[in-house]
Amino acid sequence: MNLVYKYHKYGHDFWKYMLGQFISVVGDICGHVAFTWWILDKENGTEAIAAIMAPAMFFRIFLMPLFGPFGDKYSRKKLLALSEALRGITSAALAIIIINNYYNLPLLIGLFSLLSVGTALYTSASGGIIPQLVSAKVLEPAIQLSQSVLSIGNVLGGIIGGSLVAFIGVEKTYILDSLSFFIAALALITIKQSTLPTKASLPHSGVSQWLDEIKEGFKVMYKIKVLFSWAILAMIMNFIMAPFAIVLPALIKEAKQMPAWSLGWVEMAGGLGAIAGSYSVAFLLQKVSRANLIYWSIFGLGLSCAFLPIGNSVFILMFFMFTLAAFGVICNVPASTQITIATPDHLRSRVFSILGFMCQGVTPISMAIVGVLMAKIGIEETMMVMGGVLSFLALLSPLVPQFFEFFNSSQEKAESFFKNHYGLN
């Protein structure tokens, strides 16, 4: 009965979006597992992964703000379906390459760069679609639910991907990955509600207008001081946390001398922590104000990172990885929800694309610096420094202009906050 109530609470279109998102995430991770397994069997496989993934990552980051105007101008469900179809076609081409065992590095780099085009397009449209699919009174729990679905998809994707590779092989797993994108596209295109942004009809279009729309997005970000300052803080946080994907395996393998299965268990604990964090946000917001929740979750994120390398048991590592992931989601969900509510519909895609660009754009520099730090002062010491800086950032968060006023605003006040304080229409 409760499930039926929740289904009708959010509406058919929201669940179609959730279905597409879930299938896409699980399929994407399965494909990543299969491709990594295939490429590691090749000569210089480790170097090949870096050579393929690095250009694709740069390409995706560069395209995110450039695609932002599309999400504020065209139907978001159509853009999402198009991006999934593009990723499906590209994944099908990669499946053919894997089936024929045809190893061509330039071709693989090109296809993964094309895959990044689809991912960047998906990002430009997904940031603003949920407010168009649900009523205002259930917007916050809908965003929390979306985060939960992503977390669950990430956990299941790794488990399913590894199992499929083991039992049916790399080739069939990658075929399923390609099919998952087409199924997701089908689910998205059947959304009945209009997802055309407000103020989307413009008298003409062209390169100059597109460039003006990109500039407008950056100008809006800079004009709204609370948004710009929060973006800077989030960028610094991501700068610190981005290399975690390479620091954690190094900690477990090199510093702790633990077996490979330990890494899987610790990463699984992180996925479960993200799920727990997304489900606990609504309860915590009944006990603590939104601004205080964001403040203390950043502090908890830092402490978890600093204490994680102290553990010499896989269970201690799992515990701190669980809390680290939970605090990360508990910080992100209320902050992104408030920004979503406050940002006008015709600017949402650009704002979130620029936020993503700022946060992810620092990743390559961050990874290079952390690599040097691990070599100079040690893996465990590097992780402790990362945690200490994150905890310090929590103390700086109240320095964000109007931090408490903005994040503690009710939904009604948040909807007009940027207009009342910055004259944004």
Side-chain angles (χ1 to χ4, degrees), residues 55-109:
M57 181 178 68
F58 278 110
F59 204 43
R60 187 189 73 246
I61 293 169
F62 176 74
L63 287 174
M64 283 172 65
L66 301 184
F67 282 171
F70 297 154
D72 286 331
K73 186 174 180 181
Y74 302 107
S75 171
R76 286 167 180 152
K77 67 180 178 185
K78 292 180 180 178
L79 288 176
L80 290 173
L82 177 63
S83 69
E84 296 288 42
L86 177 59
R87 293 200 288 182
I89 293 168
T90 309
S91 296
L94 285 165
I96 293 170
I97 287 173
I98 292 172
I99 290 168
N100 289 283
N101 201 27
Y102 178 66
Y103 177 69
N104 184 303
L105 190 59
L107 179 60
L108 291 172
I109 292 172

Side-chain angles (χ1 to χ4, degrees), residues 33-262:
V33 171
F35 179 79
T36 304
W37 202 262
W38 178 73
I39 202 75
L40 285 174
D41 284 337
K42 307 300 176 187
E43 187 179 353
N44 300 322
T46 306
E47 292 83 355
I49 290 176
I52 293 166
M53 298 300 179
M57 181 178 68
F58 278 110
F59 204 43
R60 187 189 73 246
I61 293 169
F62 176 74
L63 287 174
M64 283 172 65
L66 301 184
F67 282 171
F70 297 154
D72 286 331
K73 186 174 180 181
Y74 302 107
S75 171
R76 286 167 180 152
K77 67 180 178 185
K78 292 180 180 178
L79 288 176
L80 290 173
L82 177 63
S83 69
E84 296 288 42
L86 177 59
R87 293 200 288 182
I89 293 168
T90 309
S91 296
L94 285 165
I96 293 170
I97 287 173
I98 292 172
I99 290 168
N100 289 283
N101 201 27
Y102 178 66
Y103 177 69
N104 184 303
L105 190 59
L107 179 60
L108 291 172
I109 292 172
L111 286 172
F112 268 86
S113 297
L114 187 59
L115 203 61
S116 292
V117 174
T119 304
L121 185 60
Y122 189 96
T123 303
S124 73
S126 60
I129 195 171
I130 292 180
Q132 296 177 307
L133 302 178
V134 300
S135 62
K137 63 182 180 180
V138 296
L139 177 57
E140 188 157 356
I143 293 175
Q144 293 167 11
L145 184 57
S146 175
Q147 291 287 333
S148 301
V149 168
L150 281 174
S151 301
I152 293 170
N154 280 311
V155 173
L156 291 180
I159 297 171
I160 294 171
S163 302
L164 288 174
V165 169
F167 290 107
I168 68 173
V170 169
E171 296 85 355
K172 291 179 182 177
T173 300
Y174 221 91
I175 292 171
L176 291 176
D177 170 49
S178 174
L179 290 174
S180 71
F181 288 119
F182 290 116
I183 295 170
L186 185 62
L188 291 163
I189 205 65
T190 57
I191 291 173
K192 293 180 179 178
Q193 204 159 325
S194 172
T195 57
L196 191 69
T198 56
K199 302 184 181 179
S201 6
L202 299 167
H204 64 280
S205 60
V207 175
S208 61
Q209 182 179 296
W210 172 60
L211 292 173
D212 287 341
E213 289 166 359
I214 294 172
K215 291 176 186 175
E216 183 187 13
F218 279 98
K219 285 178 181 177
V220 165
M221 285 285 295
Y222 182 74
K223 179 180 180 180
I224 304 172
K225 298 305 178 186
V226 62
L227 183 58
F228 181 72
S229 301
W230 175 257
I232 296 294
L233 184 67
M235 182 176 71
I236 298 171
M237 288 172 59
N238 199 72
F239 181 85
I240 297 164
M241 291 303 298
F244 203 81
I246 59 173
V247 177
L248 183 63
L251 174 75
I252 291 174
K253 186 176 186 297
E254 303 295 333
K256 302 298 180 183
Q257 298 290 306
M258 291 181 176
W261 61 262
S262 301

